[in-house]
Amino acid sequence: MKLFANSQAFPEELLNDWKAAWPKALQVWSRFTRLREAKFCTTHKEAAAEGLTGSFAMIRLVDQSVVIDLQRIQKLGLQDYAVEVLAHEIGHHILSPGSVTEQFRLLARMRRALPTLEAHAPMVANLYMDLYINDRLQRHSNLRMGDIYLRLAKFQAQDKVANPSRVWALYMRIYEQLWQLEEASLSFDNKSSGVDEHVRGDAWLGARLIRAYANDWMSGAGKFATLLLPYLVEDAEKNSNQSLLTYLHDTKDAACGSEPSGAQEIEADELEEITHPANDERISGLEEQIEADPRLSKKDHSLGQRREPFEYGEILKAAGITLSDHEIAVRYYRERALPYLIPFPVQMNPSLPEPQMEGVEPWEVTDPLEDLDWMQSILQSPRPIPGLTTMRRLYGYETSKQLARQVMYLDLYVDSSGSMPNPQIQTSFLTLAGAIIALSALRAGSRVKATLWSGKNQVTHTQGFVRDETQVLQVLTGFYGGGTCFPISLLRETYANIKAEDPPIHILMISDNGITTMFDTDERGNSGWDIAARSLAKAKAGGSMALNLPPSWEVHTYLQDLKRAQDEQGWKIHAVTAFDQLLAFARAFSQQYYGTRFTKT
């Protein structure tokens, strides 16, 4: 017998009844519906361990799960609504959002339609999805969805909660419009329902929106958010009680544990002007349009059709994905680089010598058994005598003319001084260039060493040349924002330990004109020019610099050190200032410097 925290015995029959209701709830949607069995938690502590807090139910998109807090179910008086509650949660998996990507898309639209109140986007999105699910269950499946809201209102009235939410009043009136119920029939106390003429008009628009966009709910998301926006502002100003809305928030952490994918793209309809439902002819039926709220006019804060890293991160956090800004940046640049990955160029070396049989010689008992050639031994005598008639083959070796595939290593140095953009906040094309090339190298079987540097003693790097893409991306997406002092000693030590038989290495610098500090004198008094030249010679595969420079950088006198590095040492300088140039650099880097240079015999 399980016990609640207040030591009251938990009714086992309640647990059994809800387990028995699970198959019935699945059949409400289809007899072919298949989900893993719901997790029924008998205490708040057990529910919290599953990630359920605040609400009495939740979904998890990562493993297609439904979690129920039976202790809170009993507290709210919802014991008799097992099929209704479970069918509603299943509806989130079947109808809306259905997947992590759809959740991202919905939240992006909600956030854009809620200027200054973006933090409310997850809750507004949840209310919006619930309308479609509950409307279907109430009207088509004859489930008692309205009774659940009435029970919740009754519970709140018993607790004598003051200052009720205006959002709740509008939301209940929308349901009453959808289901043709009398006004305030979903409120336990009609006098405190909060319904006035303004609410009545907006509730009618909300109900029309749900009907008009029933088969295209994603397109109506922003319009629903604009409808709730004034009520959210009013609730915030009056500090209204939001407890009932909290009980409904079953998708708060729906994407928790998921691998982010698909949240970077800005779809075309996102950039369209967001209109109030009263201004949508599809909803109101009026040809004469009302002037839209100027706060909701088209705003494009992203470059091209991609979100900025900070915007991408806010969507992930709103969906319940708990990652640090640095971890989000790693995922952002990995996902953004994937469509542009190119096969990393390889150097062709002669393959290993091939063995050639040259004859036979006696096999002695001290020789390895696997060297014994039984055929030659039997030809010598039908009765083999070890050391006398036993034979083994002799092999010689001939150097092959065929070239073998050898992958070159990549040595990345990323500038993280104050002159460089923070890749965790805004898109850094130089970071993206490094990500594309590094991931291409790793895909081809290469190893990469990545170094992040800024001012003196501000340096971090991978532990040598590694195959772990996460380690590399963590370095690429880091940020110091300090001074500019290239780690000459690290370059010196790296190539002091390179042996002649080691694979060739290409050195790639990602920076701006601050890269010229690599030619300064190191702490031992050595010339940076000499260290750079020795490093290039030992690397054997050349060096490139992807720098944030003006297109005609060669004519500027303050960049003459770069011109000298290009002319005297052979550094390949690439000015990268825009996305199209970035892709051109990545492709040229592969094809020009590696594609054909080492493929001839």
Side-chain angles (χ1 to χ4, degrees):
M1 182 76 69
K2 295 185 178 181
L3 299 179
F4 280 134
N6 59 8
S7 298
Q8 294 179 355
F10 176 76
E12 292 290 342
E13 62 273 14
L14 178 60
L15 176 60
N16 295 331
D17 289 345
W18 278 68
K19 285 184 176 181
W22 177 249
K24 299 176 184 178
L26 289 171
Q27 290 185 19
V28 167
W29 292 94
S30 170
R31 63 189 181 93
F32 300 108
T33 304
R34 293 290 182 270
L35 288 174
R36 63 174 60 200
E37 187 175 354
K39 298 179 183 294
F40 298 102
C41 305
T42 59
T43 65
H44 295 328
K45 182 177 181 181
E46 186 180 348
E50 292 289 342
L52 173 55
T53 57
S55 180
F56 53 84
M58 66 169 284
I59 65 164
R60 269 202 312 254
L61 294 170
V62 67
D63 58 357
Q64 297 290 294
S65 292
V66 171
V67 182
I68 304 295
D69 184 348
L70 290 176
Q71 183 176 2
R72 185 163 277 115
I73 287 287
Q74 189 176 52
K75 177 181 178 182
L76 297 174
L78 300 176
Q79 303 95 313
D80 298 331
Y81 297 91
V83 174
E84 283 79 5
V85 172
L86 293 173
H88 175 89
E89 300 307 319
I90 294 169
H92 280 300
H93 287 297
I94 302 297
L95 180 61
S96 176
S99 69
V100 174
T101 300
E102 293 300 281
Q103 179 77 340
F104 292 156
R105 295 179 63 210
L106 178 61
L107 289 171
R109 286 159 173 77
M110 290 293 180
R111 285 177 51 80
R112 185 168 176 269
L114 297 171
T116 72
L117 293 176
E118 291 88 351
H120 293 277
M123 183 268 289
V124 175
N126 188 87
L127 296 177
Y128 180 63
M129 291 184 287
D130 284 359
L131 281 165
Y132 287 105
I133 295 170
N134 290 337
D135 189 40
R136 171 169 173 162
L137 295 177
Q138 175 91 6
R139 294 193 306 120
H140 296 289
S141 303
N142 297 318
L143 296 185
R144 303 164 295 168
M145 308 310 297
D147 289 355
I148 294 178
Y149 294 108
L150 191 58
R151 289 295 181 107
L152 292 176
K154 179 179 179 180
F155 174 78
Q156 187 181 60
Q158 290 173 343
D159 278 7
K160 298 180 180 180
V161 175
N163 200 14
S165 166
R166 289 280 287 169
V167 172
W168 179 264
L170 172 64
Y171 194 56
M172 289 300 100
R173 186 58 192 146
I174 292 175
Y175 277 121
E176 291 166 356
Q177 288 277 0
L178 286 170
W179 301 333
Q180 297 298 297
L181 303 177
E182 292 185 8
E183 186 176 292
S185 60
L186 295 181
S187 299
F188 181 71
D189 183 358
N190 293 355
K191 295 180 181 180
S192 61
S193 64
V195 176
D196 54 27
E197 288 302 321
H198 190 63
V199 170
R200 292 186 185 98
D202 285 344
W204 181 86
L205 288 172
R208 285 284 302 157
L209 186 152
I210 299 304
R211 291 283 191 265
Y213 288 91
N215 296 320
D216 187 20
W217 57 267
M218 189 66 73
S219 297
K223 301 179 189 342
F224 180 79
T226 64
L227 183 68
L228 262 63
L229 180 59
Y231 296 87
L232 290 168
V233 173
E234 187 176 347
D235 278 355
E237 291 175 348
K238 295 181 178 180
N239 195 25
S240 298
N241 184 276
Q242 303 288 328
S243 59
L244 291 179
L245 296 174
T246 301
Y247 290 139
L248 300 180
H249 203 174
D250 53 355
T251 60
K252 180 177 65 173
D253 299 317
C256 183
S258 302
E259 183 66 26
S261 177
Q264 289 196 13
E265 295 286 344
I266 298 178
E267 299 174 83
D269 62 331
E270 286 187 57
L271 301 179
E272 297 175 357
E273 183 176 340
I274 303 174
T275 58
H276 191 279
N279 196 33
D280 187 342
E281 182 180 351
R282 184 173 172 181
I283 295 173
S284 67
L286 301 176
E287 295 182 5
E288 189 174 337
Q289 300 295 293
I290 304 170
E291 185 177 355
D293 189 332
R295 294 176 301 170
L296 304 177
S297 60
K298 176 179 175 180
K299 295 180 181 179
D300 181 10
H301 296 293
S302 298
L303 299 174
Q305 298 297 313
R306 297 279 187 165
R307 305 188 200 284
E308 290 295 293
F310 79 91
E311 185 182 5
Y312 170 82
E314 290 300 314
I315 292 175
L316 298 191
K317 292 174 183 177
I321 296 178
T322 54
L323 297 172
S324 68
D325 290 342
H326 199 169
E327 291 171 326
I328 289 171
V330 168
R331 285 159 173 78
Y332 177 87
Y333 286 97
R334 177 190 287 124
E335 184 177 346
R336 188 155 182 180
L338 285 177
Y340 306 103
L341 293 189
I342 51 178
F344 195 74
V346 296
Q347 176 172 327
M348 305 302 289
N349 280 351
S351 62
L352 294 176
E354 298 178 356
Q356 301 289 333
M357 183 177 176
E358 296 180 344
V360 293
E361 66 177 3
W363 179 88
E364 304 291 342
V365 292
T366 56
D367 293 332
L369 184 61
E370 59 267 20
D371 289 352
L372 179 60
D373 187 336
W374 284 106
M375 179 62 69
Q376 293 295 328
S377 299
I378 294 298
L379 291 176
Q380 293 291 328
S381 171
R383 295 182 178 180
I385 303 175
L388 294 178
T389 63
T390 50
M391 309 298 292
R392 69 173 185 174
R393 295 186 181 186
L394 287 176
Y395 290 94
Y397 291 90
E398 179 180 350
T399 302
S400 172
K401 296 181 180 180
Q402 183 180 3
L403 295 180
R405 184 175 184 268
Q406 185 179 26
V407 181
M408 287 179 289
Y409 288 2
L410 182 66
D411 191 8
L412 274 173
Y413 291 82
V414 184
D415 185 350
S416 186
S417 62
S419 61
M420 305 296 289
N422 184 345
Q424 299 175 26
I425 303 299
Q426 65 186 93
T427 301
S428 168
F429 289 150
L430 300 181
T431 299
L432 184 53
I436 291 172
I437 296 170
L439 293 181
S440 294
L442 295 174
R443 173 180 285 187
S446 179
R447 290 180 176 270
V448 176
K449 180 180 180 182
T451 301
L452 187 73
W453 61 275
S454 180
K456 186 176 181 181
N457 298 324
Q458 290 182 318
V459 59
T460 183
H461 54 84
T462 58
Q463 297 302 311
F465 291 87
V466 299
R467 293 274 306 137
D468 189 335
E469 67 176 38
T470 300
Q471 285 189 45
V472 173
L473 289 174
Q474 283 176 339
V475 171
L476 286 174
T477 56
F479 187 69
Y480 281 119
T484 304
C485 181
F486 183 84
I488 305 174
S489 59
L490 182 62
L491 181 68
R492 180 191 68 219
E493 296 302 323
T494 297
Y495 291 93
N497 297 320
I498 295 298
K499 301 176 182 178
E501 63 270 19
D502 288 339
I505 303 168
H506 189 92
I507 306 173
L508 174 60
M509 306 292 181
I510 299 180
S511 179
D512 54 13
N513 61 298
I515 192 63
T516 55
T517 58
M518 71 178 289
F519 303 121
D520 295 344
T521 302
D522 69 2
E523 78 283 5
R524 297 179 180 177
N526 300 316
S527 167
W529 288 100
D530 294 339
I531 293 173
R534 286 196 298 269
S535 299
L536 282 177
K538 283 204 164 187
K540 298 181 292 187
S544 297
M545 296 183 182
L547 307 178
N548 187 13
L549 301 174
S552 55
W553 62 271
E554 297 94 336
V555 301
H556 296 280
T557 56
Y558 72 96
L559 296 175
Q560 290 309 298
D561 279 348
L562 291 179
K563 192 164 190 332
R564 176 186 171 187
Q566 179 178 258
D567 296 341
E568 294 182 5
Q569 296 190 353
W571 288 95
K572 307 301 179 182
I573 312 295
H574 302 269
V576 179
T577 58
F579 188 53
D580 55 346
Q581 295 177 2
L582 166 68
L583 295 181
F585 160 72
R587 292 191 177 100
F589 180 86
S590 174
Q591 297 301 324
Q592 181 178 353
Y593 305 126
Y594 298 94
T596 58
R597 182 177 176 185
F598 297 117
T599 58
K600 296 180 181 180
T601 58

